[in-house]
Amino acid sequence: MATDEERLERVQRRLTPAVRQAIEKAIALDRLPAPLRSVIAQPALERLRPSDRMAPESLGPAAAPRGRSGPASPLAAIPIAGLEAIVQRTGRPPLLVRDDRVVMEDLPDFPEGTDGLIREVEGRIPSVGRIEFINHAMTWGGTGWVVRETGGRSLVITNRHVAALVAKRKADGRAIFMRSPFGQPYRASIDFLAEAERLEDATRTARLTEVVYLADDAAADVALLRVEATGFPLPGPLDLHDGPVHRNDLVAVIGYPAFDSRNDADDQARYFRDLYDVKRFAPGFVMQEPEAGAVFSHDCTTLGGNSGSPLIRLTDGKAVGLHFQGLYGRNNSAVGAATVAALLRGERPVAVLLPETLEERADGHHPAEHFRGRAGFDPHFLGDALPTPWPVLPAETVADLAAPSDAPPEPNELRYTHFGVKYCARRKVPVVTAVNIDGGRSVRIKRGADQWFTDGRIPREIQLGQANFADSAIDRGHMVRREDPNWGEDAEARLANGDTFHYVNAAAQHASLNQGKTLWQGLENYILESTRTHGLRACVFTGPVLRGPDEEDETVIDRAVVPLEFWKLVVTLDAEDQGLHATAYLLSQGELIRRLLEKRSRREGLEGFTLGAYRTFQLAVSDLAEATGYDLSAYVDADPLRKFEAAREALASKEPVFLPVEVPTDIRL
């Protein structure tokens, strides 16, 4: 964060004679905007009355030079925030767009003639639009612009992080629209208008029908989407600049600045006059030209909604870049026009090309005899004196479980190498999995070309297959992680690795879990790496949170139940190796927690509890047991949360105990 001295120095550098004159004029005519007055100290306001005419040289954030007599500048009493706001707002006013033309204001921060250059490039404004969403919690996500047109079919360019709100890349590299958590397909459109006085006018809104390209996270922040001809003529594409770009070239961003919580709220309100989400034209200068090892940067004023805006050169109106990030009031970064041109020619980063060359292998089938000798989950893995039994399931859940033909000692267990699965025949989903992990004997096995199998010990018709995971909205997720049972002799570990690729060990996972899954997988990695590092043993139970008969129906896509929450119970020996240590976790938007609150008649269930983004929580084992209906009594007293007084008090008052887990150090052990 900049010091006050650094901020003052920046203000003084920007206080050019032209900006000083503009400020003096605003003060003299009593036209200083009210939002700016709110950050000026009252003594300074008194001295800035129109009757107190000021010479330009008196304007500045400092008093008279040290050692010299004379009155201090009237602006000396103004807080730094006020000075910054005055200089920014006066030197670079936020220019609105009305009827595809810029609403011009004085531009003292720019060379003479800049207003004329802006007028000459106004013809590019209609090609820029607001990227809007359908069936999504967000109504819009950024800016886009027409970058190519061929026979009534145009391409719109925006940032990857904008398109990724409603789209994803599949394993084969193709990009597709996702579905909402409730099953509706996400869609997108582009509103080429969205001006301050025409926000309800949809006459220039076109559907975005296809995601042509969605960059990998390691590639330039670009997405290309197809827009089809509509009831109005589509605007033409912006020409890409194909020559050099130089520092201090005059440029401008056209886009839709939105309120951005990452920036100072009052500062944004003063500058944009509390008017966001509408088309604006923001001139500025190139700060760093695009070259090897340097980020292409500019100082046009932007906010979050400007993501995907074109950066055009005022001398010829050509696009020199695609804006993708910025620091409000400081500097911004752009993808260079050369990168955009390469993508339009069909060039793709290796990270995108490689998946497209891989084809998933066809499903296989293992007959019952293939599994001869599989021992499954060992409930005495931590010691005969400290058993780790399977969770006891309700009778109605047990009634739906598949019955393996090899008659396992643990009822309904499909036994594999170092793990077992209890599988629901009616819902076609694993109800609970159990795995033994031996960190001291772990074997790292590189993942190859995946092939999934059906299990011959239960009927094929109750198992899933590739067709059930064809929809773009769902992923095929391991319940027992591929790496967890991979320990022992090399052949044994490889057998365990292959066993995880059976459809009874797969649950359809909604794509909306992706962000929360990152933290969930981080938790899983933390568990596995901890066992490896310390040579520990662990027993891990995992399963989906299934709906009860008196609750809403399950989400079903392509005939597969798609659970929206998952739980995990991790059991190890305690620090003294004399007892069990059990921690419970939940990947959820909060639905299970809300149901617990409502079930216990807690006010929080009705007063402001909202479902948010998917997150990982640690929760009390007893709360997990009540929420799922599973008997986890063997582990309740081994929960370390019960050691904390606050947690004991909460449990005594029937308040659910749950802690968000952002990093592994958030876990209470």
Side-chain angles (χ1 to χ4, degrees):
M1 181 178 293
T3 65
D4 287 352
E5 290 76 12
E6 291 171 332
R7 294 169 67 189
L8 282 171
E9 184 179 349
R10 278 200 297 262
V11 171
Q12 288 172 325
R13 283 200 305 267
R14 295 191 60 183
L15 209 54
T16 63
V19 174
R20 287 172 179 268
Q21 186 177 8
I23 295 175
E24 181 192 25
K25 179 180 177 181
I27 293 171
L29 298 177
D30 201 20
R31 290 180 179 172
L32 202 62
L36 295 182
R37 292 176 174 273
S38 67
V39 293
I40 299 176
Q42 188 61 36
L45 275 177
E46 292 297 324
R47 298 175 68 181
L48 293 180
R49 289 175 300 177
S51 59
D52 297 331
R53 297 301 178 94
M54 302 162 56
E57 59 270 17
S58 69
L59 289 170
R66 185 179 299 173
R68 294 176 58 182
S69 60
S73 164
L75 297 187
I78 299 178
I80 296 173
L83 289 170
E84 290 174 326
I86 289 173
V87 172
Q88 176 76 357
R89 181 64 180 77
T90 305
R92 297 192 180 193
L95 301 177
L96 283 168
V97 172
R98 181 180 297 125
D99 297 328
D100 294 327
R101 289 177 59 83
V102 177
V103 180
M104 203 65 70
E105 299 186 39
D106 291 339
L107 300 168
D109 215 8
F110 295 92
E112 186 176 352
T114 299
D115 53 347
L117 293 175
I118 291 175
R119 289 293 181 216
E120 290 178 9
V121 302
E122 285 178 327
R124 280 69 173 177
I125 292 175
S127 298
V128 182
R130 195 172 71 174
I131 303 295
E132 300 178 343
F133 301 143
I134 301 167
N135 296 330
H136 196 278
M138 296 174 60
T139 56
W140 69 284
T143 301
W145 42 286
V146 181
V147 70
R148 170 177 285 179
E149 188 275 327
T150 51
R153 289 163 57 90
S154 296
L155 282 182
V156 165
I157 189 170
T158 187
N159 290 143
R160 171 194 61 237
H161 70 265
V162 173
L165 293 168
V166 294
K168 60 173 283 191
R169 290 178 65 237
K170 291 180 70 69
D172 61 5
R174 291 182 300 115
I176 39 77
F177 286 108
M178 299 185 292
R179 289 181 182 268
S180 77
F182 306 103
Q184 305 100 324
Y186 286 142
R187 292 291 181 260
S189 60
I190 182 167
D191 184 348
F192 290 106
L193 206 54
E195 295 177 355
E197 298 171 3
R198 302 177 67 178
L199 285 175
E200 303 302 321
D201 188 340
T203 57
R204 281 166 54 189
T205 299
R207 288 285 294 272
L208 298 169
T209 58
E210 178 188 358
V211 186
V212 176
Y213 169 73
L214 186 66
D216 182 81
D217 288 348
D221 195 348
V222 179
L224 298 171
L225 299 99
R226 182 83 63 193
V227 58
E228 302 290 346
T230 59
F232 64 94
L234 287 173
L238 298 184
D239 293 330
L240 294 177
H241 178 68
D242 59 1
V245 178
H246 302 289
R247 191 186 300 267
N248 294 324
D249 277 355
L250 270 172
V251 291
V253 160
I254 307 171
Y256 298 83
F259 177 80
D260 193 332
S261 60
R262 296 170 297 181
N263 304 316
D264 182 88
D266 293 335
D267 194 18
Q268 290 180 86
R270 288 189 293 269
Y271 186 73
F272 290 96
R273 300 175 182 174
D274 268 336
L275 181 58
Y276 305 103
D277 308 345
V278 298
K279 188 178 281 189
R280 291 185 184 268
F281 189 101
F285 299 93
V286 171
M287 299 178 67
Q288 172 65 58
E289 57 266 33
E291 59 184 29
V295 177
F296 182 22
S297 61
H298 63 93
D299 66 356
C300 304
T301 303
T302 64
L303 290 175
N306 282 109
S307 292
S309 293
L311 181 68
I312 65 169
R313 200 165 66 160
L314 293 188
T315 52
D316 57 14
K318 292 185 176 181
V320 296
L322 171 75
H323 171 81
F324 70 90
Q325 69 177 8
L327 182 61
Y328 172 68
R330 298 292 183 265
N331 60 71
N332 307 273
S333 302
V335 176
T339 300
V340 174
L343 290 170
L344 293 177
R345 290 194 299 268
E347 298 179 20
R348 295 291 185 265
V350 173
V352 174
L353 288 175
L354 281 180
E356 293 177 349
T357 66
L358 299 175
E359 291 188 9
E360 185 178 51
R361 298 169 64 185
D363 286 346
H365 175 75
H366 283 143
E369 55 268 22
H370 173 81
F371 302 97
R372 188 173 292 117
R374 300 295 202 281
F377 174 73
D378 180 3
H380 298 284
F381 187 63
L382 301 183
D384 290 335
L386 295 169
T388 53
W390 284 79
V392 179
L393 306 177
E396 61 270 20
T397 302
V398 172
D400 287 335
L401 294 179
S405 61
D406 57 355
E410 172 66 32
N412 304 104
E413 180 187 3
L414 284 157
R415 292 174 292 172
Y416 297 100
T417 307
H418 304 153
F419 72 95
V421 178
K422 294 192 176 184
Y423 183 79
C424 180
R426 179 173 63 85
R427 286 171 159 146
K428 300 182 181 180
V429 66
V431 174
V432 59
T433 64
V435 59
N436 303 126
I437 303 175
D438 190 337
R441 304 176 63 202
S442 179
V443 177
R444 297 180 187 270
I445 299 175
K446 185 176 181 180
R447 188 166 187 170
D450 295 350
Q451 183 179 21
W452 287 77
F453 295 85
T454 51
D455 187 322
R457 294 172 293 181
I458 60 175
R460 281 197 189 191
E461 58 268 22
I462 66 171
Q463 300 177 64
L464 301 178
Q466 279 184 3
N468 301 106
F469 298 91
D471 194 285
S472 62
I474 60 174
D475 297 321
R476 181 174 44 203
H478 282 79
M479 283 293 91
V480 169
R481 289 214 319 160
R482 181 186 68 86
E483 293 182 280
D484 286 354
N486 298 351
W487 53 269
E489 298 299 325
D490 186 73
E492 180 185 10
R494 292 188 180 279
L495 192 63
N497 182 79
D499 279 356
T500 65
F501 287 94
H502 284 88
Y503 276 106
V504 294
N505 185 43
Q509 295 179 348
H510 197 279
S512 62
L513 269 69
N514 282 347
Q515 182 178 5
K517 264 173 59 180
T518 301
L519 297 172
W520 186 252
Q521 290 167 348
L523 168 68
E524 293 176 322
N525 289 334
Y526 176 71
I527 294 167
L528 181 58
E529 288 305 317
S530 293
T531 62
R532 286 172 172 168
T533 301
H534 304 291
L536 301 176
R537 286 186 164 200
C539 298
V540 179
F541 302 95
T542 305
V545 177
L546 300 174
R547 303 274 176 88
D550 57 344
E551 296 174 327
E552 297 178 33
D553 291 339
E554 302 279 4
T555 299
V556 178
I557 299 176
D558 279 342
R559 303 181 305 282
V561 170
V562 184
L564 297 182
E565 298 177 292
F566 293 86
W567 60 268
K568 189 178 295 289
L569 178 65
V570 180
V571 186
T572 61
L573 294 178
D574 62 18
E576 290 76 31
D577 291 344
Q578 299 299 311
L580 297 180
H581 179 282
T583 51
Y585 305 93
L586 178 71
L587 173 63
S588 172
Q589 286 180 301
E591 180 64 37
L592 179 143
I593 296 169
R594 184 172 68 178
R595 290 203 302 270
L596 268 178
L597 290 167
E598 293 172 345
K599 185 175 181 180
R600 297 177 183 177
S601 301
R602 299 283 305 185
R603 290 180 178 271
E604 298 94 322
L606 302 173
E607 297 178 348
F609 186 96
T610 58
L611 301 182
Y614 276 94
R615 304 169 70 186
T616 296
F617 299 90
Q618 180 179 356
L619 73 164
V621 174
S622 57
D623 287 336
L624 176 63
E626 181 175 348
T628 58
Y630 302 163
D631 183 349
L632 302 176
S633 56
Y635 307 106
V636 169
D637 290 338
D639 186 351
L641 286 181
R642 301 177 77 87
K643 297 186 301 184
F644 298 94
E645 183 178 353
R648 289 197 301 271
E649 292 176 355
L651 290 169
S653 65
K654 296 187 177 181
E655 178 184 351
V657 178
F658 58 94
L659 305 169
V661 177
E662 304 294 342
V663 294
T665 52
D666 291 337
I667 298 172
R668 299 294 188 270
L669 297 176

